[in-house]
Amino acid sequence: MKLRLSLNTMRKNILLLWTVMATVVCSAQQVYNVHDFGAKGNGVHIDSRAINEAISQAASEGGGTVRLPAGVYLCYSVRLKSNITLQLDSGAVMKAAMPKASETYDLPEENLSMYQDFGHSHWKNSLIWGIGLRNVAITGKGRIDGSGVLSRGKPTLDGLPVANKAIALRDCRRVKITDLEMLNCGHFALLLTGVDTLTIERLTIDSNRDGIDIDCCEHVKIRHCRVNTLNDDAIVLKTSYGLNRLKPTANVIIEHCHVTGYDVGTLIDGTKTTHATKAPDQDGPTGRIKLGTESNGDFRNIIIRDCTFTHCRGLALETVDGSQMENILVFDIKMKDINNAPFYIRAGNRNRGPKGLPASTIRNVRISNITVEEADSRYASIIAGNATGSIAGVTLSNIKLQYRGGVTMEDVRSQRGINPFFTQNPNMKGYPEPSAHGIQPASCFVISDAKDIMLKDIDISFMQPDERPKIMMTNTENITIERVSPLKDKLFEKSDHIVIDN
């Protein structure tokens, strides 16, 4: 299995890139207090004009820190500039203001790309935005609050233009975002597209759609963040065509983060309630770490380590629009109360993008040292390619995997509109999600159109009995199963070179 790099080699290669990479953000020496420019911070006065004046003044003088002392600052669009640190002190709240006919948010810029939704394709229609900047930081112990205003997707509110993102940056370099609280931030709390040399640390995000979206970015650190997103993904890496060009997401480390799908707002208020049982797609709460779905450019050299998933969906690695996903390392992960597949690895053929994109592939994935408790049994853990060998070189090892169980073969047979043998699923060209495959005919692992797969040192248990066989494989080659326990039942169809050593 030559496709597999050693665990230590993958770690060293990615960490070396960070060692040699400059992560300098502007040394902001001069401080510009927004009150000196007319900001009131009283929750009544519109303060974005004063904040923008402070930013412009600081930028004209070579850069500096634009400071918001404690208070509530009602704002429309705040326009960042290079060499600026925007600092929200403890007790400072930048709150999205209701649009007015006389004054509102910046309009979305023109973008001729047609291969992703409106939200991924525009940046100016945001509470805070910047394009083509260098040396930018947004920091402090304050809060960004979009409650009741920032849109979950629609570009207008009561017929007036509205922002649908809290922070949006495009084509920027050397960016740092740290220490903030972010509440109800619309379509995206952070949409960062084509941003290289990026550090995100110690954020608490409790939002009504996506949390952190990293799209076509290289040299990225995401550390010590708590992200609660009941209705969408918590931390997601993408490679859309929103830049009107192909660009990879590469050399990324996500570590020491906690993702959840609690009721919106209840991470920040501390109650962590779980009354909502479904996301808008009618499956369970989302709040996961994911690679994809937007996947025109490649994904390379990505580490996810020492993270926890609670009351949300599991880890998803999805390439469906022509990207090559390779060298993905995931380890030291704890999951509890997982609402669909603990692991979903999908190479599909949606092919939403310009003509001539290659077939999507996944290569060299290592997932190890994982504990999963109370996982939804309907979908098992799925590795699903789009053709034989489209997924190759995947190892899952040292995993404790507890499913809820309770599924019967009649549950599988009684599904309508979904062929349980998902290689023939009519949704294989659609949106990739475990639920699109239906209730699976095996309880633990279902693998299709893949080769060079290893399952090693995996302990399986069920909270209730489950009638299905543990493993099903279809159109697979070079499968190694070592010390997977208990493993009584298995189904192999059109599969070659299988080694089982239990």
Side-chain angles (χ1 to χ4, degrees), residues 185-465:
C185 293
H187 196 164
F188 306 94
L190 301 178
L191 176 64
L192 307 174
T193 310
V195 177
D196 293 346
T197 311
L198 168 64
T199 299
I200 300 172
E201 293 182 320
R202 299 179 300 278
L203 299 186
T204 297
I205 298 174
D206 196 340
S207 196
N208 43 342
R209 278 201 70 183
D210 275 7
I212 300 173
D213 271 50
I214 305 298
D215 192 1
C216 302
C217 299
E218 299 180 67
H219 311 303
V220 179
K221 284 183 180 178
I222 304 173
R223 308 177 69 239
H224 299 290
C225 292
R226 300 188 302 152
V227 187
N228 181 57
T229 53
L230 163 70
N231 296 315
D232 222 319
D233 298 313
I235 301 174
V236 55
L237 310 184
K238 299 177 178 178
T239 54
S240 77
Y241 206 72
L243 296 171
N244 289 289
R245 66 183 189 271
L246 294 176
K247 188 179 187 301
T249 286
N251 308 320
V252 179
I253 298 175
I254 302 171
E255 60 183 359
H256 318 310
C257 291
H258 186 200
V259 296
T260 57
Y262 302 132
D263 297 334
V264 176
T266 67
L267 175 66
I268 281 180
D269 73 17
T271 59
K272 300 180 181 178
T273 60
T274 57
H275 300 305
T277 59
K278 293 181 179 180
D281 66 0
Q282 300 306 302
D283 205 359
T286 312
R288 62 188 162 192
I289 297 176
K290 181 172 82 171
L291 277 60
T293 301
E294 282 73 17
S295 49
N296 295 130
D298 293 343
F299 297 85
R300 296 194 296 267
N301 303 332
I302 294 164
I303 290 177
I304 304 169
R305 65 181 179 185
D306 190 24
C307 293
T308 56
F309 296 56
T310 305
H311 189 65
C312 62
R313 301 183 192 184
L315 175 73
L317 310 179
E318 305 170 356
T319 169
V320 295
D321 299 320
S323 76
Q324 319 304 296
M325 185 179 291
E326 61 182 359
N327 298 343
I328 312 300
L329 180 59
V330 182
F331 61 98
D332 296 344
I333 304 295
K334 293 182 179 180
M335 302 185 187
K336 187 171 183 178
D337 190 13
I338 300 304
N339 299 312
N340 64 13
F343 309 107
Y344 181 54
I345 302 175
R346 177 71 168 123
N349 58 355
R350 182 175 67 173
N351 296 332
R352 190 175 72 180
K355 292 183 179 180
L357 290 172
S360 299
T361 63
I362 297 177
R363 297 284 186 272
N364 195 30
V365 175
R366 301 286 299 273
I367 299 174
S368 64
N369 301 336
I370 314 291
T371 301
V372 181
E373 299 180 30
E374 302 177 37
D376 190 329
S377 290
R378 293 173 295 168
Y379 311 133
S381 288
I382 298 173
I383 301 174
N386 55 42
T388 301
S390 55
I391 298 177
V394 176
T395 296
L396 286 81
S397 65
N398 193 21
I399 295 171
K400 291 185 177 180
L401 189 53
Q402 182 195 60
Y403 286 102
R404 296 181 187 132
V407 180
T408 67
M409 289 307 297
E410 181 56 29
D411 293 330
V412 178
R413 290 189 291 266
S414 65
Q415 297 177 92
R416 295 181 179 180
I418 296 178
N419 188 318
F421 294 87
F422 60 73
T423 54
Q424 304 170 33
N425 192 304
N427 293 324
M428 68 181 298
K429 292 187 177 182
Y431 191 90
E433 193 66 46
S435 57
H437 302 290
I439 300 172
Q440 288 301 289
S443 59
C444 300
F445 293 98
V446 182
I447 302 173
S448 174
D449 295 296
K451 67 179 182 180
D452 300 335
I453 307 298
M454 175 177 283
L455 307 178
K456 182 179 180 181
D457 295 316
I458 299 175
D459 180 70
I460 300 168
S461 62
F462 296 90
M463 299 173 70
Q464 301 179 60

Side-chain angles (χ1 to χ4, degrees), residues 421 424 472-476 491-496 498:
F421 294 87
Q424 304 170 33
M472 177 182 172
M473 298 187 185
T474 305
N475 296 329
T476 60
L491 293 173
F492 300 127
E493 294 188 351
K494 300 179 182 178
S495 297
D496 298 318
I498 298 170

Side-chain angles (χ1 to χ4, degrees), residues 149-164:
V149 180
L150 294 185
S151 167
R152 295 181 63 251
K154 296 180 181 180
T156 61
L157 181 65
D158 296 330
L160 298 172
V162 67
N164 75 352

Side-chain angles (χ1 to χ4, degrees), residues 37-39 45-56 74-79 100 102-103:
F37 294 81
H45 183 261
I46 297 297
D47 288 322
S48 44
R49 284 166 290 187
I51 295 169
N52 284 323
E53 287 178 13
I55 290 172
S56 294
L74 285 181
C75 290
Y76 297 120
S77 294
V78 170
R79 307 172 192 108
K100 300 177 183 178
S102 59
E103 187 175 14

